[in-house]
Amino acid sequence: MLTKIKMPLPDMINAVLALDTSALDIDQVENLIKFCPTKEEMETLKNYTGNKEMLGRCEQFFLELMKVPRVESKLRVFSFRINFSTQVRESVKLRQIMQTILTLGNALNQGTTRGSAIGFKLDSLLKLSDTRARNNKLTLMHYLCKLLAEKMSELLDFDKDLVHLEAASKIQLKSLAEEMQAVSKGLEKVEQELTTSENDGAISMGFQKALKDFLDTAEAEVRSLISLYSEVGRNADCLSQYFGEDPARCPFEQVTSILVIFIKMFNKSREENAKLADAERKKLEKDAMKERANSSTK
């Protein structure tokens, strides 16, 4: 993974903090997330007393990442900003599958009050595997997969349009908001201490300068994060609204969770359809062989 990022490590960290999409693309950001050091690795490096220049590139990479508070959280937000919401909304295949599901539902409900719907609730996707045929073996999800395989096979791999869906589903906006609030409150305490220390006299001059330098840097970073968080919130709401949902009732986390489960259920039904078709083909071949054998003995 490290070989994929050619820039010097400090420049890479600066790109992360600046949320510079021209310096890092989505694949590089996702790889950085995977490569974040564990708590144990960070503790080991913190306690290392030897010559850090003698450490390997991997350990030096960890040291650079450790300079950024909550680096994994920042990277996950960065990942979301780059790609996810736009990716889902621009997936033509996903849109066509949703339209097929709506058409299928209207056909099944023809003659009832639900037979001319113009849309459906997103969580209805999870009920496709609950609705079974009379033989109690096949579900509506199986039928959907069969229909697509026969009529629109180009849509079967729609999940390839959503390669970052699972990673994005792990983002908890509430946790990010709590982190933002904690950071803001922490800075308020630092500002209070700086103001109070101005009455200490000469003994706190060095302390005041160091604290002011820290505040100048930290406040700029927090402003950037607040701006990013606001953008993320808007994108998250837009995603819910894209599916006709109220963001307050069906927030971002619920949307992504439903889509992840839907894809898994869809692919499982596809596999079961393939196994069933293979079993039926073998049975037909076996019956044909028996018939030929019986014909030859007459």
Side-chain angles (χ1 to χ4, degrees):
M1 192 285 296
L2 290 176
T3 57
K4 294 182 179 179
I5 300 178
K6 304 297 184 182
M7 70 178 71
L9 295 179
D11 291 347
M12 180 201 69
I13 297 299
N14 289 335
V16 171
L17 291 175
L19 302 172
D20 187 354
T21 55
S22 66
L24 293 170
D25 60 28
I26 186 63
D27 291 329
Q28 290 171 327
V29 173
E30 290 294 332
N31 280 323
L32 284 172
I33 291 171
K34 292 176 185 176
F35 214 74
C36 281
T38 63
K39 289 182 180 179
E40 291 78 13
E41 288 167 334
M42 287 192 286
E43 199 61 36
T44 299
L45 284 171
K46 282 179 183 176
N47 296 330
Y48 179 73
T49 56
N51 184 354
K52 292 183 178 178
E53 292 183 1
M54 299 300 291
L55 291 173
R57 178 167 168 77
C58 181
E59 287 76 16
Q60 290 179 10
F61 178 81
F62 280 178
L63 286 171
E64 287 296 325
L65 286 183
M66 286 164 58
K67 292 178 182 178
V68 183
R70 299 170 308 284
V71 63
E72 186 173 350
S73 177
K74 288 181 174 66
L75 286 168
R76 288 193 182 281
V77 173
F78 196 2
S79 169
F80 180 91
R81 180 191 184 188
I82 292 173
N83 218 342
F84 176 69
S85 186
T86 302
Q87 183 189 83
V88 171
R89 284 182 285 165
E90 289 184 354
S91 173
V92 175
K93 291 183 179 180
L94 178 62
R95 187 159 59 246
Q96 289 177 316
I97 284 181
M98 294 293 185
Q99 181 60 54
T100 303
I101 293 170
L102 177 62
T103 303
L104 184 58
N106 282 336
L108 291 173
N109 292 312
Q110 191 172 11
T112 71
T113 55
R114 295 185 298 172
S116 57
I118 58 172
F120 56 85
K121 301 293 289 181
L122 194 61
D123 60 6
S124 298
L125 293 174
L126 306 185
K127 298 175 184 176
L128 294 175
S129 290
D130 295 334
T131 308
R132 295 186 174 275
R134 289 180 181 177
N135 61 13
N136 206 36
K137 291 182 179 179
L138 297 180
T139 66
L140 195 53
M141 184 72 84
H142 289 107
Y143 182 73
L144 172 66
C145 293
K146 186 173 183 293
L147 178 67
L148 292 173
E150 292 173 353
K151 306 291 186 181
M152 295 172 279
S153 60
E154 71 278 4
L155 301 183
L156 291 173
D157 63 348
F158 76 98
D159 57 328
K160 290 182 179 178
D161 288 351
L162 312 171
V163 291
H164 303 293
L165 175 61
E166 189 138 9
S169 70
K170 295 174 183 175
I171 296 174
Q172 297 294 317
L173 295 183
K174 183 178 178 182
S175 297
L176 289 177
E178 289 171 352
E179 284 192 16
M180 291 294 303
Q181 190 174 15
V183 170
S184 296
K185 286 184 177 179
L187 278 184
E188 285 177 10
K189 290 182 179 179
V190 172
E191 288 171 348
Q192 289 170 5
E193 177 57 33
L194 179 60
T195 301
T196 304
S197 67
E198 290 175 354
N199 300 320
D200 293 350
I203 194 170
S204 291
M205 292 291 289
F207 172 80
Q208 289 175 42
K209 184 180 183 307
L211 206 56
K212 189 173 186 310
D213 290 343
F214 165 73
L215 270 175
D216 289 343
T217 302
E219 286 176 342
E221 183 181 337
V222 168
R223 282 196 299 270
S224 173
L225 286 175
I226 290 173
S227 174
L228 173 60
Y229 180 77
S230 297
E231 183 182 343
V232 168
R234 287 192 296 272
N235 285 340
D237 288 350
C238 285
L239 183 63
S240 296
Q241 291 162 353
Y242 173 75
F243 289 106
E245 298 285 356
D246 179 354
R249 294 177 178 272
C250 187
F252 166 78
E253 292 87 348
Q254 189 173 340
V255 172
T256 54
S257 175
I258 289 172
L259 291 175
V260 167
I261 296 171
F262 170 69
I263 287 173
K264 289 179 179 177
M265 290 166 53
F266 183 92
N267 288 335
K268 183 173 182 284
S269 295
R270 271 189 69 193
E271 291 171 5
E272 290 170 349
N273 280 355
K275 288 178 181 178
L276 183 61
D278 188 52
E280 289 177 351
R281 179 182 58 78
K282 288 179 179 178
K283 184 178 182 301
L284 288 173
E285 289 175 354
K286 188 176 180 180
D287 290 345
M289 287 176 65
K290 281 184 180 180
E291 191 172 332
R292 284 196 296 271
N294 291 335
S295 299
S296 64
T297 57
K298 289 180 181 179

